[in-house]
Amino acid sequence: MPAEVSKKTVLVTGFGPFGAHAVNASWMAVQELDKHWNVKGIDLLIEEIPVEYDTVFEIVPALWEQVKPCLVIHVGVSGIASKLTLEQQAHNDGYDKKDVKGTCPEKNCCVNGANSCIVSGIDMQKVCDEINDSGIDVKSTVSEDPGRYLCDFSYFLSLNIDRSCSAFIHVPPLDQPYSAKQLAEGLQAAITAMLKQVS
């Protein structure tokens, strides 16, 4: 037995720029989370992923393999969100919106032969309630439609690898109404709540 047990690692990804989002609030919030991370006994690893189907299809499984995380949270921005939005499930098909390279996945599908929808083993309503009861300024809600774009796509990839410890959180654009620091506080509250269900 090693003298020291290695820490568990939480992997959190944010997206790069796309469309009207020249600065992606998801990556800003994730970087801010990294600066203020203070969950005892848990390491945080953050990664920016581009809004490209092909690259995400390669990067997400590779990160699972390299990091062997106890929890994976993908974070994306939603122009229609006004709260932290916890996504309960993701879809395998319907990906007909072009990425930043102007491409769609083959057959508009994420993983050939996989189920059409996968629900996370994490109870997002419980997580939502904990965030909303925590006393922080950021409010949260639960959604079942991550939007059939790179957010939904990345989430499905992770759920297909391990649905018991995969999550997706949509954040609003910066200062609509939350700052990056407030979003980071909300993310940390969400992760703390999720860790109770996966560890």
Side-chain angles (χ1 to χ4, degrees):
M1 285 286 289
E4 198 178 317
V5 178
S6 63
K7 282 185 173 183
K8 292 180 174 180
T9 300
V10 170
L11 170 66
V12 182
T13 70
F15 281 102
F18 74 101
H21 302 278
V23 174
N24 195 314
S26 69
W27 181 234
M28 301 299 287
V30 169
Q31 287 176 295
E32 201 66 32
L33 173 70
D34 193 36
K35 284 185 211 164
H36 299 283
W37 182 252
N38 62 3
V39 180
K40 275 190 181 164
I42 305 281
D43 282 337
L44 176 69
L45 180 71
I46 66 168
E47 188 81 27
E48 182 181 17
I49 52 179
V51 182
E52 301 169 4
Y53 292 109
D54 287 353
T55 311
V56 168
F57 191 79
E58 287 173 17
I59 285 176
V60 169
L63 285 169
W64 275 91
E65 187 62 34
Q66 290 158 19
V67 178
K68 302 196 168 22
C70 66
L71 176 63
V72 171
I73 300 115
H74 300 294
V75 183
V77 65
S78 166
I80 59 169
S82 59
K83 300 176 179 178
L84 272 195
T85 304
L86 309 170
E87 301 292 349
Q88 186 64 68
Q89 62 185 24
H91 306 95
N92 193 22
D93 48 27
Y95 294 101
D96 57 2
K97 283 186 261 185
K98 290 180 178 175
D99 64 14
V100 295
K101 293 199 299 189
T103 63
C104 291
E106 196 177 333
K107 297 180 183 168
N108 300 339
C109 176
C110 183
V111 180
N112 283 331
N115 292 341
S116 62
C117 178
I118 302 177
V119 178
S120 175
I122 299 168
D123 182 338
M124 296 303 172
Q125 189 58 57
K126 263 191 193 170
V127 176
C128 180
D129 292 344
E130 284 196 45
I131 296 167
N132 291 339
D133 293 342
S134 68
I136 63 171
D137 287 340
V138 180
K139 290 302 171 196
S140 174
T141 188
V142 177
S143 159
E144 297 201 341
D145 183 10
R148 296 301 213 287
Y149 195 45
L150 267 298
C151 293
D152 210 340
F153 189 85
S154 62
Y155 191 18
F156 189 88
L157 283 171
S158 281
L159 288 169
N160 194 54
I161 293 166
D162 191 342
R163 62 177 287 276
S164 74
C165 56
S166 297
F168 193 98
I169 301 175
H170 268 120
V171 298
L174 286 182
D175 304 317
Q176 296 181 32
Y178 302 119
S179 67
K181 190 171 180 183
Q182 286 175 306
L183 291 174
E185 196 177 6
L187 291 177
Q188 183 147 298
I191 292 166
T192 303
M194 289 175 188
L195 284 168
K196 292 176 189 174
Q197 295 190 43
V198 301
S199 51

